[in-house]
Amino acid sequence: MDSFVFGVILSCFSCLIFATNSVMAVTLILLIHKSESLGLCFVLNLAVADSFIGISITGIATLELAQPNSTSQQCCALTMSFITSPSAASILTMVLVAMDRYVAIKQPLRYLQFMTAPVVAAFLVGLWIVSCFFGFLPVMIENFQLNDYKGKCTFFSVFEPSYMLTVFSLGFLPGLLVFIYFYCDILKIARSHAHQIWDIEQVGPALHCTNLHNSHDLKAIRTVAILIGCFVLFWSPFFVVSIVQLACKSCELYAVLERYLWLLGLGNSLLNPLIYAYWQKEVRQQLYHMCLAVRRRALSLLNVENNPPMPRVTASHLNNTTHPQGEGEPQTSCVP
């Protein structure tokens, strides 16, 4: 793939990722303000992390479009670190979203006591600290940078293969194992809840609220499961082929990794808000209300432009109109 074409594709990806995740972030902020659901803060953080990914890849897109002959190694390392950090934050946020739903469905009473605003804030602050540590690790430890950097700024041309192995071992693989554990246990809980719901329906509508609560939790779990499945589907080829490249030094897979499989992984950041917009009813409703508000605002502005306000008519204007004074006529006086 030509560098200029790749730069154009990255620019389009950047705009789409930032736009969709920004709209999702605004939607979630309104939902959190309306429902005061702290669990949505993790989903909001996912949208923010994906928005940062959209912003950060503009650096690579600019380099590809400009096609510079040489980029300094330190500048390239910083550019890649600014991409890796929000990507790590997105992965870790999915772990938090999965944990949040897992605790909510497994221990609902303890969840309400445990998941307070300070706890959520501590989780999110810790998440970004860990993500920035992973992302800027090669900048802090120069042994993770290649010694024979040739000026072409790509991930595998500036970072040592050991850094990719570190990210895979400490980031992607543990996250995947946590997902598998959570959802194997959640499947058992879902099956148990399905039996409970069936028993409740047999008894009657006395426990209808419990039925709705369980159903809502299971729908949220389904949405998160789709998110995790798409994440694994989109990013697994990149990590698997990277490990193959590390094991097989003679294999020339860098072009496939940096041009195609990395783009596939970036597609996950574009897909996340679309999944929530499609599968979560409250998100769809909030988006619908936002669109209605924007439409009403646009129509009101158009009406003001097409129908300017009439000039204000005062009593003096009415008197002048009713009894006009002729030019050069002497004014009459009421005084005898």
Side-chain angles (χ1 to χ4, degrees):
M1 187 187 300
D2 183 70
S3 293
F4 183 81
V5 175
F6 186 61
V8 171
I9 293 174
L10 278 181
S11 299
C12 295
F13 257 73
S14 174
C15 295
L16 289 173
I17 290 172
F18 179 75
T20 54
N21 283 283
S22 297
V23 171
M24 183 55 58
V26 173
T27 304
L28 290 168
I29 289 172
L30 294 176
L31 275 177
I32 293 170
H33 178 72
K34 184 187 301 182
S35 63
E36 297 183 355
S37 176
L38 293 176
L40 289 176
C41 292
F42 297 130
V43 185
L44 172 62
N45 191 71
L46 179 62
V48 171
D50 287 334
S51 297
F52 284 157
I53 292 175
I55 296 173
S56 62
I57 62 177
T58 56
I60 296 295
T62 303
L63 292 175
E64 294 290 340
L65 290 173
Q67 298 181 0
N69 295 328
S70 179
T71 305
S72 67
Q73 184 169 358
Q74 194 66 19
C75 178
C76 183
L78 283 172
T79 301
M80 292 301 167
S81 295
F82 275 110
I83 296 175
T84 307
S85 295
S87 299
S90 180
I91 295 173
L92 293 176
T93 303
M94 286 192 182
V95 176
L96 283 184
V97 171
M99 181 202 70
D100 174 74
R101 291 299 88 201
Y102 175 76
V103 176
I105 197 171
K106 191 174 179 67
Q107 298 289 341
L109 297 179
R110 290 186 180 180
Y111 174 82
L112 295 176
Q113 298 172 354
F114 173 73
M115 199 59 67
T116 59
V119 172
V120 172
F123 271 125
L124 295 179
V125 171
L127 178 145
W128 280 103
I129 291 175
V130 173
S131 300
C132 291
F133 173 77
F134 271 114
F136 289 91
L137 191 61
V139 178
M140 296 182 290
I141 303 175
E142 293 187 356
N143 290 333
F144 281 135
Q145 297 185 29
L146 287 172
N147 296 324
D148 56 345
Y149 175 70
K150 297 179 177 60
K152 179 64 175 177
C153 186
T154 61
F155 189 89
F156 292 96
S157 68
V158 71
F159 291 154
E160 283 280 356
S162 57
Y163 173 62
M164 174 55 68
L165 187 61
T166 303
V167 172
F168 177 80
S169 301
L170 300 180
F172 181 81
L173 187 60
L176 184 60
L177 294 177
V178 169
F179 296 150
I180 293 173
Y181 169 75
F182 280 162
Y183 285 100
C184 284
D185 200 11
I186 284 172
L187 286 176
K188 298 178 184 178
I189 298 172
R191 184 176 300 176
S192 175
H193 280 192
H195 289 297
Q196 292 177 6
I197 291 172
W198 187 83
D199 294 338
I200 290 171
E201 289 176 347
Q202 297 301 314
V203 172
L207 299 176
H208 185 61
C209 293
T210 305
N211 186 356
L212 289 177
H213 177 71
N214 291 341
S215 177
H216 179 270
D217 283 340
L218 292 177
K219 289 179 180 178
I221 289 296
R222 179 194 61 185
T223 304
V224 179
I226 295 171
L227 280 175
I228 302 306
C230 291
F231 164 76
V232 174
L233 181 65
F234 276 62
W235 277 110
S236 290
F238 178 81
F239 283 103
V240 170
V241 176
S242 298
I243 298 301
V244 171
Q245 178 63 65
L246 293 177
C248 177
K249 299 295 183 181
S250 61
C251 299
E252 293 296 332
L253 302 173
Y254 293 118
V256 176
L257 283 167
E258 294 167 349
R259 285 290 192 264
Y260 301 103
L261 297 184
W262 186 55
L263 279 178
L264 181 64
L266 290 179
N268 183 69
S269 297
L270 178 61
L271 194 64
N272 285 338
L274 302 180
I275 291 174
Y276 256 91
Y278 182 79
W279 287 100
Q280 288 295 97
K281 182 180 179 181
E282 59 270 22
V283 175
R284 291 200 307 271
Q285 291 176 343
Q286 186 61 49
L287 282 171
Y288 176 72
H289 292 315
M290 287 173 58
C291 291
L292 285 181
V294 172
R295 181 175 178 270
R296 283 195 298 266
R297 180 63 177 170
L299 290 176
S300 65
L301 291 175
L302 289 174
N303 289 333
V304 169
E305 292 178 358
N306 295 331
N307 301 306
M310 298 294 294
R312 187 177 179 181
V313 179
T314 61
S316 61
H317 290 148
L318 291 175
N319 291 333
N320 292 336
T321 304
T322 308
H323 305 286
Q325 295 286 342
E327 187 177 352
E329 290 185 4
Q331 294 183 0
T332 58
S333 174
C334 294
V335 180

